[in-house]
Each structure stands twice: as structure tokens, then as C-alpha cells.
Amino acid sequence: MQGDIKPEVCVIGLGYIGLPTAAIIARANCPVTGIDVSEKVVETINRGEIHIEEVDLDGLVRGVVQRGMLRASTQIVPADMFVIAVPTPFEKDGEHTPDTSYVMAAATEVAGVLKKGDCIILESTSPVGTTEAMRDLIAGLRPDLKLPGLAIETPDISIAYCPERVLPGKILEELTHNDRSIGGITPRCARKALAFYKRFVRGACVITDARSAEMTKLVENAYRDINIAFANELSIIADHMELDVWEVIRLANRHPRVNILQPGPGVGGHCIAVDPYFIIHGAPGQSPLIRTGREVNDAKMHHVAARAEALITDNPGIPVACMGLAFKANIDDFRESPARFVAARLARQFGDRIKVVEPHAAKLPAEFGGTGAELVDLDTALETCGILIVLVDHDVFKVVPPEERARVLVYDTRGIWPDAKGGSPEPGLRLAG
Ligand code: SAJ
């Protein structure tokens, strides 16, 4: 753009969303300061290195740091645009109450350096009303500034909610190409945020209000949770009726308007298993389906663990391989993982009979300590274990040929080996569901 003045940008929170976002804004030639509470994270990024695993992120960060477009700091700095990408976990009350304290802490920091004309964008997944609550907090801290939606005069500051919807493993591609909701507290705020996102987003940027944008993000993940719950419930029904759930889903999906997702050992990660509760918390009496979806997916994890326990107990002495710990295929993220839950429960019960195969892990997580379970590579597991429990559909597991798993018992919770039901000369037992 001719005569284009690049805004100075401050991205607060340099995690799985904040760091890639900071890097692609810097790539669009806006100078970015990334803020994080961790000294270690800040030092790592300032060396041009990264502290998280994500495809192509290392090269991008190295490049923008070397060009001087991205630097990290523990201290907030004045800027024109502030992008807040901090975690929104649950409170520790056991009630799945959303904890927005990190968002409010970030907003408090921003308030300290805010000047007329600045724009604040919240990206963290948040309960409906959080953006307005953040605005109210800033209004209290900075009575000298006119905040949007509180007075009829033209506000000094713009505030918007603009959620991301990227998939781990494809973050850079999806940050650039996905459509985005741009939810302004007022239409003027939305227009200001829109002009900013158009600098680095190639997908459509759709303007709305902040509350609708907050709800949209939650609804997307609740929708997926309920659809996975349907698949998981089908798998338990099929198990009860002695049907092959994968076959039933494959056939049903040939209907032009049916698209059933895949059953698994439950739903993991920090989004799909979390965000539906933000809706439930806001409307507890109005959300029975969303609540039930969560319950069905959590129950599937326990169903799988119980099924595996029965198989191992019925076959005493045989070594068991738990295949996978990650919350989904081909990633190194073990947080909130149903596979990890199942494997750890089996390790506590069956001790050194349990071997864990996880190509993305250098060691077993802490809860395996003292159980006797050990981390082994895939070849060792295939050579020494008589029971294989498939918990994650990593590509490297999918390509194990039938002859390498012919004389073993298989409990395949992901349906990665459709041939295992009788395709090999000495067919392995295949338990679905
Ligand atoms: N899963 C199944 N069966 C399926 C699909 C997924 O059991 O058919 C399981 C996975 O194994 C995993 C969990 O669900 O345990 C979640 O995996 P995912 O790939 O569905 O989603 P996430 O958590 O990696 O990312 C989601 C995405 N949301 C949607 O697809 C609606 C992503 O676009 C969001 O940006 C992300 O949540 C987020 O940050 O909110």
C-alpha cells in the first residue's frame, strides 16, 4: 500500500496462538513486540528460537526476529494495536467455571500504556460478555479516555473480539487462510479491527458485534464436540449389538447429507473438551444437549479403559502395548489426552506388563512414575507385545502391515486397521467401540 503507515503491534501471550499470530503480523511488516510472563520464553524467542512445536514456525520466527520485526519482552510497551492471546482455563472450583483472570490481568497491563487512537483485540476463547467486561475494567482504570459503547461521543479507543479457529499442525496456513469473525463493541471498532486483520488474513473477515463473535467461537467447538459424541455413542451401541461401527459409519456417510465423525477413546485437547462448558456456564438451564455431549465423550474414555482392563485381565501374563499418548494424531501435545488417561490407568493396574509407544515423547509423563510401565519404540512393541491397544491414530501406526500384527490381540479404538477383522492368515482379535 502506498503511503501505508504500519501500526506498531503488541501481542500479549506467546503460546500456541499468540506466537504464530505475532510472527505472521511481523511478516506483514508491522513491528511487533510479544509479551510473555515467562523469562525463558522471552529469551528463547529473542534468540530467534521457539518453545512450541508447530509446522514451519521455527523458520518464520527466526526470519522475523533476524529482520528486527519481532522482539519479545516481559514488560508491556506502548503500541497502536494490542492483541491479547492469553489462556482462559477453568477456575479450580470443580464446577467448570471459566477463569478470565489472565484476560483481565492483560487488559490491566494494556490500560497502563493506552493512548488515544489505540485498538485492543481480544483473541482468547472467552465466555460471552468478556470483551465488554474488559472494556469496563479499562474504563475504570483510565477515566481520561472515552471507551466504546459507554458514551455517545466518538470513543478514543477501539475494542474488538476476533477469535482464531486454527488447527494444531496447520496453524500458520489456517491463520492466513481461514475466514474470521471480527466482533466490534461498536461497528466503528469492528472496522478498525477489520483494517488490521486485512493486513495478514487472506480468508474473508466478517464483521459482527463482540458478543456474537464470542458465542460463535464457543458454538464451533460445541458443535464438533456433539458430533464426536454422536460417533462415540454409536461405537458403544455397536459394541453392545456386536456391529462394526466403522463399517456402519462408512456406509451411512455415503448418504449425501450425512457426515458422521470418527469414534475414538474420548475427546482431548484444551478447546473442544473445554469450550462447551463456557456455554453451559452462561446458560445452564438451556443447554442439556451440549452438557450431554460432554458427558458422553468423557464416559467414552472410561468405557475404553474398562474394556482394555477386561481384555488384559482375561489374558494373563501377556505384555500389552498402549499405542499413543497424544490427544490426537501426529502431534506432540499430551494435555487433556484421553489416550494418556487410559494408558496411565492401565499402568497403575497392570504395572510392568504395560509398554507405551509414543513416537512424539522422549519420556513418559510423571503419572507413570513408579508404575513399572515403560516407553518403547514401535518395533519393540510389535516384537514383544501380545496385546495392542490403539489409542491414537498416528500415521506411523496406520502403516503397520497386517503380517506384523497377525498373531496379537488388537483393541483398536480409532479404527486404523480395518483389515484386522479377518484379513490376515492368523487374524488378530479386533475389538471396536
Ligand atoms: N476427535 C475424534 N473424532 C473425530 C475428530 C476429533 O475423536 O472425528 C477427537 C480428537 O482425537 C481429539 C479431539 O477430538 O481428541 C479434538 O480434536 P480436533 O481435531 O477435533 O480439534 P482441536 O482441539 O485440535 O481443534 C479444535 C478445532 N475446532 C473445530 O474443528 C470446530 C480448531 O479449528 C479450533 O481452532 C481449536 O479447536 C481451538 O483452538 O478452539
Side-chain angles (χ1 to χ4, degrees):
M1 265 181 271
Q2 218 181 6
D4 178 32
I5 298 167
K6 310 280 186 201
E8 296 210 359
V9 182
C10 185
V11 176
I12 300 137
L14 295 174
Y16 278 90
I17 300 302
L19 179 57
T21 302
I24 63 163
I25 298 170
R27 184 175 63 188
N29 291 323
C30 299
V32 181
T33 307
I35 311 297
D36 203 279
V37 287
S38 162
E39 289 272 3
K40 207 168 152 216
V41 166
V42 164
E43 284 165 15
T44 305
I45 293 166
N46 283 335
R47 282 198 306 273
E49 294 167 10
I50 57 174
H51 61 291
I52 52 174
E53 288 274 326
E54 180 56 37
V55 177
D56 295 337
L57 184 62
D58 49 354
L60 177 60
V61 168
R62 195 181 324 116
V64 287
V65 170
Q66 275 170 2
R67 281 204 291 130
M69 297 309 295
L70 172 65
R71 69 173 199 98
S73 170
T74 55
Q75 299 299 317
I76 192 101
V77 294
D80 306 309
M81 308 290 307
F82 294 89
V83 178
I84 300 177
V86 295
T88 43
F90 293 133
E91 284 182 8
K92 293 185 177 35
D93 59 0
E95 303 283 326
H96 298 114
T97 307
D99 173 3
T100 57
S101 61
Y102 295 101
V103 171
M104 297 308 159
T108 304
E109 294 269 300
V110 171
V113 295
L114 211 50
K115 62 183 186 313
K116 198 171 168 179
D118 287 354
C119 177
I120 308 169
I121 293 166
L122 178 60
E123 284 210 4
S124 311
T125 302
S126 299
V128 174
T130 306
T131 312
E132 288 169 355
M134 192 178 81
R135 182 264 325 265
D136 294 345
L137 175 78
I138 296 169
L141 293 167
R142 291 294 303 270
D144 56 312
L145 293 170
K146 289 193 279 297
L147 276 294
L150 294 181
I152 38 169
E153 306 105 293
T154 306
D156 296 326
I157 303 295
S158 301
I159 302 181
Y161 181 73
C162 306
E164 51 68 37
R165 38 170 69 131
V166 297
L167 212 56
K170 294 173 77 177
I171 291 182
L172 292 180
E173 184 197 324
E174 293 210 352
L175 269 180
T176 310
H177 295 288
N178 286 356
D179 293 352
R180 289 196 80 126
S181 307
I182 309 284
I185 283 199
T186 64
R188 190 190 166 93
C189 295
R191 288 195 295 275
K192 178 106 182 187
L194 176 72
F196 174 61
Y197 279 96
K198 286 210 150 173
R199 291 177 178 277
F200 55 92
V201 171
R202 297 284 159 268
C205 296
V206 183
I207 279 189
T208 182
D209 61 278
R211 290 170 67 86
S212 298
E214 288 165 340
M215 187 61 167
T216 303
K217 170 70 191 180
L218 304 178
V219 163
E220 288 165 6
N221 282 348
Y223 168 86
R224 191 154 171 88
D225 195 44
I226 289 173
N227 279 277
I228 299 169
F230 182 71
N232 278 333
E233 184 162 298
L234 280 186
S235 74
I236 292 174
I237 295 168
D239 198 17
H240 178 71
M241 293 183 169
E242 298 186 3
L243 288 162
D244 181 342
V245 69
W246 320 103
E247 176 76 352
V248 172
I249 291 175
R250 196 163 41 244
L251 292 172
N253 281 349
R254 296 188 79 90
H255 185 291
R257 284 170 296 283
V258 172
N259 186 13
I260 302 170
L261 295 180
Q262 298 300 302
V267 166
H270 9 276
C271 306
I272 304 230
V274 172
D275 301 355
Y277 286 115
F278 287 20
I279 301 178
I280 297 167
H281 187 261
Q286 291 73 30
S287 47
L289 178 62
I290 297 175
R291 185 189 297 277
T292 303
R294 279 283 67 242
E295 286 167 1
V296 168
N297 284 331
D298 278 347
K300 182 66 195 291
M301 203 160 63
H302 295 276
H303 172 89
V304 165
R307 202 84 162 73
E309 277 163 6
L311 178 65
I312 299 168
T313 306
D314 289 349
N315 293 278
I318 301 180
V320 180
C322 289
M323 302 186 54
L325 287 179
F327 88 82
K328 66 179 200 176
N330 306 324
I331 61 167
D332 69 340
D333 191 338
F334 310 134
R335 291 174 295 171
E336 319 296 332
S337 167
R340 176 175 167 176
F341 167 85
V342 171
R345 183 161 138 182
L346 297 178
R348 279 193 297 278
Q349 201 169 332
F350 299 101
D352 62 6
R353 277 184 72 192
I354 303 296
K355 317 293 166 197
V356 178
V357 187
E358 177 46 77
H360 300 276
K363 59 181 173 48
L364 287 177
E367 68 268 26
F368 288 82
T371 61
E374 63 173 325
L375 185 67
V376 300
D377 63 24
L378 180 58
D379 289 344
T380 307
L382 292 172
E383 281 158 22
T384 60
C385 295
I387 299 176
L388 305 182
I389 300 177
V390 179
L391 297 168
V392 184
D393 44 345
H394 288 318
D395 287 347
V396 67
F397 298 161
K398 285 189 193 165
V399 296
V400 174
E403 58 274 19
E404 286 200 58
R405 47 185 164 78
R407 281 165 291 279
V408 296
L409 297 169
V410 175
Y411 177 19
D412 180 1
T413 72
R414 295 279 186 176
I416 62 168
W417 293 329
D419 57 279
K421 212 174 76 178
S424 55
E426 293 182 73
L429 165 72
R430 177 165 182 267
L431 301 167

